[in-house]
Amino acid sequence: MVAQAEVRTEVESVEAVIAHIDAARDAIWEVPPAEVLDLGMGTVPRGTGAKNNYLSTLIFAENELRTLTDEILWFAWATATRNPDADLRTLVLYMDEMGQYKANMNDYVGLPEGGDILKMYVGAIRIATTLDEFARVTESAMTYFNRLHGWVDIVFPWGIVDGFHRVNPLQKIIDANNA
């Protein structure tokens, strides 16, 4: 039996997925998606959150999206576009696992629509036949998730960090030298 989290989304074509993701990105370009607004108000579909709060969920959502966009998708896109001899099969295997994992985490942290879009991306890379197809669908996903990440950053209560000041490390050095 296969765990539900491992079930892959079947897609019609790479081009159809690119069109779908690009349309989804355009739809959230100027207005945040409802799932982000809900998350910012503490509405988390799966009830995720430590000790009945949603701050931990927001922290995880921000982190999951940042690593997805700034590291994982960017790495895959850069590899496919800068290395014409890159092995498509290896990139697909890597991104299939990473994409599916991150899709399930998006769902877990209150972004199920983002999770569904990432699962569509995984479906598309699995049928990509060229590095160009892989790169184009990866770029589409990267731009969508960059925008989604931007909205999560906007709803994040960054002011709360004012309660966690640390000692200035430079001051510690100055104090040690003056002792």
Side-chain angles (χ1 to χ4, degrees), residues 4-8 60 63-65 67-68 72 93-109 114-115 118-119 121-122:
Q4 189 61 35
E6 291 300 319
V7 174
R8 299 305 195 259
F60 279 106
N63 180 59
E64 290 298 326
L65 289 169
T67 58
L68 174 63
I72 297 168
L93 288 170
Y94 175 77
M95 291 305 294
D96 174 35
E97 291 296 330
M98 291 301 296
Q100 188 74 9
Y101 167 78
K102 288 289 193 175
N104 291 324
M105 283 302 294
N106 269 260
D107 180 46
Y108 184 70
V109 299
L118 195 52
K119 286 183 179 188
Y121 164 77
V122 169

Side-chain angles (χ1 to χ4, degrees), residues 69 71-83 91 95 121 131-132 134-140 142:
T69 60
E71 297 168 4
I72 297 168
L73 287 168
W74 183 86
F75 164 81
W77 174 81
T79 300
T81 59
R82 296 177 184 175
N83 301 288
L91 279 172
M95 291 305 294
Y121 164 77
L131 277 177
D132 180 63
F134 178 91
R136 286 186 304 107
V137 73
T138 300
E139 181 177 29
S140 180
M142 184 170 54

